[in-house]
Amino acid sequence: MCKRNWWTNLLYINNFYPVEQSEICLTWSWYLAVDFQCYLISPFFILLLYRKRALGVSCIAALITASLILTGVLSAKYGLPVTVFGSPSKNTTDASADYIYTKPWTRISPFLLGMLLGYAFSSMRSRQVPINRGVVLMAWLLSTALMLSVVFGLYSHYQMPQVAQNESMKAFYNACHRFAWTLGVAWVVFACETGNGGLAAELLSWPGWKPASKVSYTVYLLHPALILVYMSSRPVTLHYDDWMLIYLYLGIALFSYLLCALVYLSIELPLARLPHALSIKSNTAVEKEEQPV
């Protein structure tokens, strides 16, 4: 895979080519391509927001709505499952085709919402926004309900066959669940940043998260490879149960962070500090040349 298609990752087009999922180099790196593609169009919306705020907000809202509708339509047309594990069930002969999972036009709505939130922060004179406690409590309840509905909303889908075969419900979930989750997270960010976060803000501001955050990107890149190595090296079939999954999750997570900490200290951190070191060396050389003889 990577011997033939490594160049698609460098160009950030690996979510479009190759079409066959089995041919993609580092299949989980589709997110980097989508992120890059969204960033490519972001300057247009940022300039629009700063020059004509009402028009910019309207365009972003329209694009979010269009993305949600398109995702639902594609899901209904091809009978797409509500998870990445599954195949289209109608109107296509390609069982491995990906119509919504890695495409920027179906993934852009959370990105645009984050852009609006960032613009709102940059426009504030003060980050401290006093809000009525009742309103804050209601917003926290709605945010929590949204995120819980995304996680547990599929319970009936897996427990009741008649629900699992309902194409309208699957299309609605595919269209809305990512944006709904982003709305919940957006409130958490807004509340914590404006002094309305309470205990959540204290927990998320805990300094102990900083070491893990420094290696989170490396963990994202490497942990699927560790999972593949483990699963491919098993001599017998794996029988799933809750305790086995908990044990496997904790083991992979711990090993991933330990390995990625070594990668961060030996590769990422030195490379990140290299420009600063070169700058100091260059300034020192210039100062020596300017000293009178």
Side-chain angles (χ1 to χ4, degrees):
M1 297 181 289
C2 289
K3 288 183 178 180
R4 295 190 299 271
N5 299 312
W6 57 269
W7 57 273
T8 62
N9 293 63
L10 294 180
L11 296 177
Y12 292 106
I13 60 172
N14 51 302
N15 59 328
F16 288 107
Y17 182 86
V19 178
E20 292 291 335
Q21 298 294 301
S22 59
E23 293 296 317
I24 298 176
C25 176
L26 303 177
T27 54
W28 56 92
S29 64
W30 63 265
Y31 167 76
L32 301 179
V34 171
D35 203 33
F36 176 75
Q37 291 153 13
C38 289
Y39 269 103
L40 279 181
I41 66 170
S42 62
F44 168 76
F45 293 104
I46 293 173
L47 289 174
L48 199 59
L49 285 170
Y50 275 98
R51 293 186 177 182
K52 296 183 178 181
R53 181 170 59 182
L55 180 60
V57 172
S58 300
C59 288
I60 290 176
L63 191 55
I64 289 174
T65 304
S67 174
L68 299 180
I69 293 174
L70 177 61
T71 305
V73 170
L74 290 173
S75 178
K77 179 179 179 180
Y78 295 106
L80 302 180
V82 293
T83 67
V84 67
F85 304 106
S87 302
S89 60
K90 59 183 182 180
N91 295 326
T92 180
T93 57
D94 188 356
S96 64
D98 172 42
Y99 296 98
I100 64 173
Y101 192 77
T102 66
K103 298 301 180 283
W105 46 80
T106 58
R107 288 279 184 174
I108 198 171
S109 55
F111 183 88
L112 294 174
L113 181 60
M115 186 185 297
L116 284 177
L117 184 61
Y119 173 73
F121 284 143
S122 67
S123 302
M124 291 178 178
R125 294 182 179 179
S126 173
R127 290 292 177 90
Q128 297 300 309
V129 180
I131 304 176
N132 180 274
R133 288 188 177 182
V135 175
V136 171
L137 177 60
M138 183 60 66
W140 275 107
L141 291 175
L142 289 175
S143 171
T144 304
L146 274 176
M147 291 189 285
L148 289 178
S149 66
V150 171
V151 176
F152 297 104
L154 294 178
Y155 180 81
S156 59
H157 172 81
Y158 290 111
Q159 298 296 323
M160 305 176 187
Q162 65 273 22
V163 176
Q165 296 172 3
N166 190 318
E167 298 294 341
S168 299
M169 292 187 65
K170 289 193 291 185
F172 178 79
Y173 184 86
N174 281 334
C176 299
H177 77 278
R178 295 186 183 93
F179 188 70
W181 179 266
T182 310
L183 279 174
V185 173
W187 165 252
V188 175
V189 174
F190 180 83
C192 293
E193 191 68 17
T194 57
N196 298 287
L199 292 175
E202 295 182 12
L203 175 63
L204 295 174
S205 301
W206 180 50
W209 298 119
K210 289 185 178 180
S213 69
K214 291 182 181 296
V215 299
S216 59
Y217 179 68
T218 311
V219 170
Y220 156 71
L221 288 178
L222 295 184
H223 87 273
L226 297 179
I227 296 175
L228 288 175
V229 169
Y230 172 78
M231 299 301 291
S232 301
S233 61
R234 287 189 57 83
V236 296
T237 304
L238 188 65
H239 297 280
Y240 287 94
D241 61 69
D242 294 341
W243 285 109
M244 186 279 299
L245 287 177
I246 293 172
Y247 178 80
L248 183 59
Y249 166 78
L250 293 175
I252 292 292
L254 178 61
F255 188 64
S256 296
Y257 273 94
L258 290 176
L259 176 62
C260 291
L262 294 176
V263 173
Y264 173 80
L265 293 173
S266 60
I267 299 176
E268 188 175 347
L269 184 60
L271 289 177
R273 291 186 174 181
L274 183 60
H276 180 66
L278 292 176
S279 176
I280 293 177
K281 185 176 181 180
S282 176
N283 292 336
T284 303
V286 171
E287 291 176 357
K288 287 183 178 180
E289 290 178 359
E290 292 178 349
Q291 289 180 356
V293 179

